[in-house]
């Protein structure tokens, strides 16, 4: 029997290409390792009061990565709870009224140096990766992993909360800048949701979808499963955060979705069990987070965004809009994976999760649209546009993550 103790793989295990990137990644990896040590310290906040220098390397990396990823000039403000000018603590996330283009990577990265540490000043994929990994390490403490109880000693650390808030504030502003929020606020929300759901139920095949269906090899399929296990083995867990409160039909529908994700209380029928069976069919690791180092930052961003919108009740409408898209669009994606598995002649156990989801998520999509999203639009007419924001943002981030997964599969094929 495998241990429930989850040990994250060493952050420096992945292969790097360019010399400049190698140096940068080493700096970020070292900072992440320092952060892991901070997480494990008994009474972290007190330790930092006594010896603030133990977090210096991590804080320098955090500041520079925020600047590199989001071009945020406020990333150097103090993190320590006793410091002045703490950024992000208790601060509401801004919603801009206009679009701005995605930052583009410079052809050649310029470097800024701080006490011997070099980080790229331009848009940097590795900065995104570092930030999303740190944010996820904090967010995962909200779930229980059936591991050593001492791993949760700092789950309510003010320092960790400040780190989370600083990353989220810059990251969420950057994410929201990709959306035309002003246009969303003018929509007929119910019509917009119905039209979007209808289009996303059976979309045209994208280039990535065609690659999965027609070209992906069996080794690529295993690579896709490895990345997918990051979410598939703990599926639906964050939904529980929005279920408490006053009873109504919308709440009960959300409970029904969660119960089906959890096999109505039977482990043998829980969706994650079917995913574990697919992994086991190939002799792969079935422990949650077993392939953490393979997960692209774009996929981590989806998980971290989900943590945020379920944890903040003010973002309840955004979350319900996002979950509506996720359930509506899920079957189309799973049909791609199923088609690939069938083309490769794989066993039923190696594709059972997809078949289950195609059946159940078609039903969940109807529930979310008809019994949650549309009733919420009527209940909150002034804020209903946030449902569409959540829907569109989940689609944008999901498409970005999907492209990153396919890119990772292609790169893995080239390296073998």
């Amino acid at each position: 029997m495998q241990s429930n103790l989850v040990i994250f793989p060493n952050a420096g295990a992945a292969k790097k290409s360019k010399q400049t990137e190698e140096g940068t990644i080493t700096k970020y990896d070292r900072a992440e390792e320092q952060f892991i040590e901070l997480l494990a310290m008994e009474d972290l906040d007190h330790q930092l009061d006594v010896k603030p220098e133990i977090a210096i390397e991590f804080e320098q990396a955090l500041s520079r990565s925020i600047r590199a990823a989001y071009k945020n000039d406020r990333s150097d403000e103090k993190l320590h709870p006793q410091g002045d000018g703490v950024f992000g603590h208790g601060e509401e996330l801004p919603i801009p009224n206009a679009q701005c283009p995605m930052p583009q990577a410079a052809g050649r990265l310029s470097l800024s140096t701080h006490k011997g540490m070099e980080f790229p000043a331009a848009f940097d994929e590795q900065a995104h990766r570092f930030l999303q990994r740190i944010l996820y390490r904090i967010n995962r403490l909200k779930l229980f992993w059936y591991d050593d109880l001492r791993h949760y000693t700092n789950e309510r650390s003010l320092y960790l909360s400040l780190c989370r808030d600083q990353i989220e504030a810059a990251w969420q502003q950057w994410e929201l800048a990709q959306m035309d929020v002003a246009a969303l606020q003018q929509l007929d929300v119910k019509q917009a949701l119905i039209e979007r759901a209808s289009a996303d139920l059976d979309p045209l095949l994208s280039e990535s979808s065609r690659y999965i269906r027609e070209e992906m090899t069996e080794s690529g399929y295993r690579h896709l499963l490895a990345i997918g296990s990051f979410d598939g083995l703990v599926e639906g867990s964050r939904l529980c955060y929005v279920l408490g409160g006053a009873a109504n039909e919308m709440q009960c529908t959300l409970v029904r979705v969660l119960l089906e994700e959890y096999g109505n209380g039977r482990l043998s029928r829980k969706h994650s069990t079917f995913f574990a069976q697919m992994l086991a069919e190939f002799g792969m690791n079935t422990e949650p987070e077993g392939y953490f180092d393979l997960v692209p930052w774009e996929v981590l961003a989806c998980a971290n965004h989900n943590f945020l919108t379920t944890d903040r009740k003010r973002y309840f409408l955004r979350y319900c809009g996002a979950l509506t898209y996720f359930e509506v669009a899920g079957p189309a994606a799973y049909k791609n994976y199923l088609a690939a598995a069938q083309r490769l002649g794989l066993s039923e156990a190696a594709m059972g999760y997809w078949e289950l989801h195609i059946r159940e998520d078609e039903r969940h999509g109807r529930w979310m649209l008809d019994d949650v999203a549309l009733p919420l639009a009527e209940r909150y007419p002034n804020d209903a546009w946030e449902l569409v924001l959540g829907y569109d943002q989940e689609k944008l981030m999901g498409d970005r993550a999907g492209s990153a997964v396919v890119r990772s599969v292609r790169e893995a094929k080239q390296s073998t």
Side-chain angles (χ1 to χ4, degrees):
M1 180 176 178
Q2 291 179 312
S3 168
N4 282 326
L5 176 63
V6 175
I7 301 176
F8 284 91
N10 188 300
K15 293 181 180 179
K16 320 304 176 188
S17 56
K18 298 178 183 178
Q19 184 174 1
T20 299
E21 290 177 351
E22 287 176 354
T24 302
I25 292 164
T26 300
K27 307 295 185 182
Y28 283 139
D29 290 343
R30 194 165 72 234
E32 184 176 349
E33 289 169 1
Q34 183 183 64
F35 183 73
I36 293 171
E37 294 174 1
L38 295 175
L39 282 173
M41 285 185 180
E42 189 71 29
D43 195 0
L44 172 61
D45 290 348
H46 175 70
Q47 295 286 350
L48 287 169
D49 283 343
V50 176
K51 295 182 64 179
E53 64 272 14
I54 62 177
I56 285 177
E57 189 167 358
F58 163 69
E59 291 179 7
Q60 290 172 353
L62 184 64
S63 294
R64 275 142 194 81
S65 60
I66 288 176
R67 233 190 250 119
Y70 312 127
K71 299 187 181 297
N72 186 293
D73 294 331
R74 302 178 64 186
S75 56
D76 272 333
E77 297 190 30
K78 295 182 180 180
L79 272 171
H80 293 304
Q82 72 274 21
D84 296 327
V86 174
F87 173 53
H89 185 54
E91 192 170 308
E92 196 68 26
L93 300 185
I95 298 181
N97 289 319
Q99 291 177 304
C100 80
M102 289 277 287
Q104 298 298 315
R108 181 173 180 177
L109 296 175
S110 60
L111 297 176
S112 58
T113 305
H114 185 82
K115 296 183 179 179
M117 300 185 68
E118 293 182 336
F119 295 91
F123 178 82
D124 185 354
E125 289 287 323
Q126 293 306 321
H128 281 278
R129 178 178 182 272
F130 172 74
L131 290 167
Q132 294 301 329
R133 286 169 68 94
I134 294 300
L135 189 54
Y136 178 76
R137 291 188 186 278
I138 299 172
N139 282 332
R140 70 184 298 277
L141 294 177
K142 298 173 184 176
L143 302 179
F144 188 65
W145 298 89
Y146 290 87
D147 55 356
D148 192 330
L149 297 178
R150 290 172 295 181
H151 291 173
Y152 307 92
T153 185
N154 291 308
E155 64 179 317
R156 302 193 74 179
S157 161
L158 178 57
Y159 180 79
L160 295 183
S161 295
L162 293 173
C163 291
R164 180 200 64 207
D165 291 350
Q166 183 173 3
I167 296 170
E168 281 183 347
W171 167 50
Q172 283 292 302
Q173 186 174 25
W174 181 83
E175 291 284 8
L176 284 166
Q178 321 310 320
M179 313 298 297
D180 190 346
V181 173
L184 296 180
Q185 291 172 326
Q186 305 303 316
L187 291 174
D188 179 323
V189 170
K190 295 178 72 172
Q191 179 182 352
L193 289 170
I194 291 170
E195 290 176 351
R196 281 163 166 74
S198 178
D200 293 325
L201 190 61
D202 187 22
L204 296 175
L205 290 180
S206 65
E207 181 183 347
S208 293
S209 296
R210 291 190 182 279
Y211 173 79
I212 291 171
R213 282 174 170 262
E214 301 170 6
E215 299 181 46
M216 186 171 63
T217 63
E218 184 175 321
S219 63
Y221 185 80
R222 292 197 299 270
H223 191 87
L224 184 144
L225 289 186
I227 296 175
S229 70
F230 171 71
D231 182 71
L233 294 179
V234 291
E235 185 179 357
S237 296
R238 294 178 291 272
L239 174 57
C240 67
Y241 285 107
V242 304
L243 299 181
N248 53 62
E249 291 294 334
M250 294 168 286
Q251 182 202 40
C252 289
T253 298
L254 291 170
V255 170
R256 287 164 63 197
V257 172
L258 180 69
L259 286 175
E260 290 208 352
E261 299 286 353
Y262 275 70
N264 288 302
R266 293 175 294 168
L267 181 61
S268 63
R269 302 301 302 171
K270 190 176 184 295
H271 290 186
S272 61
T273 298
F274 286 86
F275 204 105
Q277 289 172 353
M278 290 199 299
L279 294 169
E281 188 72 2
F282 293 104
M284 297 172 66
N285 188 351
T286 60
E287 287 293 319
E289 302 173 330
Y291 295 99
F292 183 69
D293 266 355
L294 293 181
V295 181
W297 72 262
E298 295 91 339
V299 175
L300 289 171
C302 291
N304 286 326
H305 186 76
N306 207 234
F307 272 116
L308 171 65
T309 54
T310 53
D311 196 43
R312 297 286 301 274
K313 301 305 176 286
R314 176 60 186 86
Y315 301 146
F316 180 73
L317 297 185
R318 284 174 67 185
Y319 172 72
C320 288
L323 185 58
T324 299
Y325 170 76
F326 188 84
E327 298 292 350
V328 165
Y334 302 137
K335 288 175 183 177
N336 294 331
Y337 307 146
L338 180 61
Q342 291 171 336
R343 172 176 55 81
L344 293 167
L346 303 180
S347 68
E348 288 296 319
M351 65 179 83
Y353 179 89
W354 314 128
E355 293 177 322
L356 173 70
H357 266 63
I358 291 169
R359 293 195 307 271
E360 293 202 353
D361 282 4
E362 287 177 349
R363 182 169 62 253
H364 292 176
R366 292 193 299 269
W367 289 354
M368 285 303 304
L369 179 64
D370 297 338
D371 300 332
V372 178
L374 296 181
L376 281 172
E378 293 183 359
R379 191 179 185 94
Y380 296 96
N382 294 331
D383 301 303
W385 65 272
E386 294 180 22
L387 288 159
V388 188
L389 171 62
Y391 188 104
D392 286 1
Q393 203 166 22
E394 182 73 12
K395 181 174 182 176
L396 176 66
M397 296 177 72
D399 287 348
R400 185 177 66 193
S403 295
V405 170
V406 170
R407 185 167 62 249
S408 180
V409 169
R410 287 178 180 270
E411 290 171 353
K413 178 183 177 182
Q414 294 172 356
S415 65
T416 57

